[in-house]
Amino acid sequence: MKYFQNIILIILSICLVSCETSVDASDLLEKQQLIVINGYLSPQDTALKVQVSRSKSRASSTNVKDMVIKDATVVITDEEKNEVALTYMDTSLNYEAPASGLTITPGKKYFLKVTALGKEYKASCTIPTESVQRIEKDIKIKEDEFSGNRSLKVTIGDIKDQNNFYIIGAVVTQSFDNGGGTTSNGVENVNFEFRQFATDVSRENSVITADGFFNLSANALPNPKLKIQVANAEKILYEAFRATYLNDFNDGDPFAESVIAPTNIEGENGFGVFAGYQLAEVEETF
């Protein structure tokens, strides 16, 4: 819960795989350490990013940086055999390349090849054909709450005639007067809880909504900014983020069963997700 309140911005910066290398397949971890590979592609990306690391259990106190594999070979290829090699960046713990190195096109298939610790891993993904075209918001003061508490209802136009898997996130940025003509910004995540995950499976062409809440500071300057982002993701990416959210939410509950996250990484002891998504975004002052 504390980790995924702003899931879409996490996708954009791939902070998810930069900061979380634990795997919930505890029965597998008892037998061997996994090679965790995560990468997400979108036509809206400014950089291509993949992380390669060793797995650790949730109970492990090992530093995340110590789990990252820094000497892997990472290559992404398209259907026409165009390819780009990604270079490890210690600042982000990712393998990266400029998005200009390989065009990410809606509807096209892409292939990942990773060589790590002397073993080869492969995966493929297909970029969703469409992004969400309509995003509407409704902000209200929550009843029976202190004055700074706001509710946000996001309504998105469902992409027609196909099954879609949406991940919804938003942030509010407020400015503060520091005196002497200087200002600073504070960022508040909109908390959608489990409602950040939405799908039209079994209810095609339906109205998709997500209700969240956030706080506004009484000391902030007027006219805060709201950014809403909606990803139309491949099913496996949706299910992976959903599983990690549920496990994080239930962490510490002795009666909750762990949800095993899906994987499409081929290779010995490989685990993770290589998937595509399309991102829609609206930003405005209110």
Side-chain angles (χ1 to χ4, degrees), residues 25 218 230:
V230 180

Side-chain angles (χ1 to χ4, degrees), residues 7-15 39-49 104-108 110 125-132 159 165-167 229-238 241 273-280:
I7 197 84
I8 304 304
L9 295 180
I10 289 173
I11 290 179
L12 281 177
S13 62
I14 209 168
C15 288
Y40 318 128
L41 299 183
S42 168
Q44 293 79 32
D45 283 341
T46 58
L48 309 177
K49 300 181 181 182
I104 306 301
T105 304
K108 292 296 184 67
Y110 293 84
C125 71
T126 301
I127 309 301
T129 57
E130 298 182 56
S131 60
V132 170
I159 299 172
F165 299 88
Y166 303 112
I167 309 173
Q229 296 176 314
V230 180
N232 178 28
E234 282 193 277
K235 182 180 180 180
I236 190 171
L237 180 56
Y238 172 93
F241 274 61
V273 170
F274 178 63
Y277 70 99
Q278 285 230 47
L279 188 72

Side-chain angles (χ1 to χ4, degrees), residues 1-4 7 16 20-27 29 56-59 193-194 196-197 238-263 271:
M1 181 176 183
K2 56 186 178 293
Y3 196 82
F4 289 89
I7 197 84
L16 169 69
E20 180 65 65
T21 57
S22 61
V23 175
D24 294 295
S26 55
D27 57 330
L29 287 175
K56 68 181 183 70
S57 67
R58 285 184 173 267
E193 298 183 323
F194 187 73
Q196 64 194 278
F197 303 101
Y238 172 93
E239 291 180 340
F241 274 61
R242 182 177 178 273
T244 309
Y245 173 87
L246 287 172
N247 287 317
D248 187 72
F249 182 86
N250 293 320
D251 190 25
D253 183 349
F255 301 103
E257 293 186 5
S258 294
V259 179
I260 304 301
T263 177
F271 196 94

Side-chain angles (χ1 to χ4, degrees), residues 22-23 58 73 92 112 117 122 144 164 184 193 239 249:
S22 61
V23 175
R58 285 184 173 267
T73 300
S92 65
L112 174 67
L117 304 182
K122 295 181 179 180
D144 302 322
N164 302 287
S184 61
E193 298 183 323
E239 291 180 340
F249 182 86

Side-chain angles (χ1 to χ4, degrees), residues 95-109:
Y95 289 83
E96 300 186 14
S100 58
L102 185 68
T103 302
I104 306 301
T105 304
K108 292 296 184 67
K109 192 171 185 178

Side-chain angles (χ1 to χ4, degrees), residues 14-22 33-38 50-56 62-72 74 87-96 116-117:
I14 209 168
C15 288
L16 169 69
V17 291
S18 296
C19 302
E20 180 65 65
T21 57
S22 61
Q33 189 174 61
L34 307 180
I35 303 301
V36 182
I37 301 170
N38 286 305
V50 174
Q51 189 182 75
V52 185
S53 63
R54 301 175 181 87
S55 63
K56 68 181 183 70
T62 305
N63 189 292
V64 171
K65 287 187 177 182
D66 296 333
M67 307 304 293
V68 175
I69 299 173
K70 302 179 181 181
D71 58 353
V74 180
T87 303
Y88 178 76
M89 306 293 291
D90 197 51
T91 53
S92 65
L93 309 182
N94 296 318
Y95 289 83
E96 300 186 14
L117 304 182

Side-chain angles (χ1 to χ4, degrees), residues 165-181:
F165 299 88
Y166 303 112
I167 309 173
I168 302 163
V171 294
V172 175
T173 302
Q174 301 178 85
S175 298
F176 297 86
D177 186 352
N178 296 330

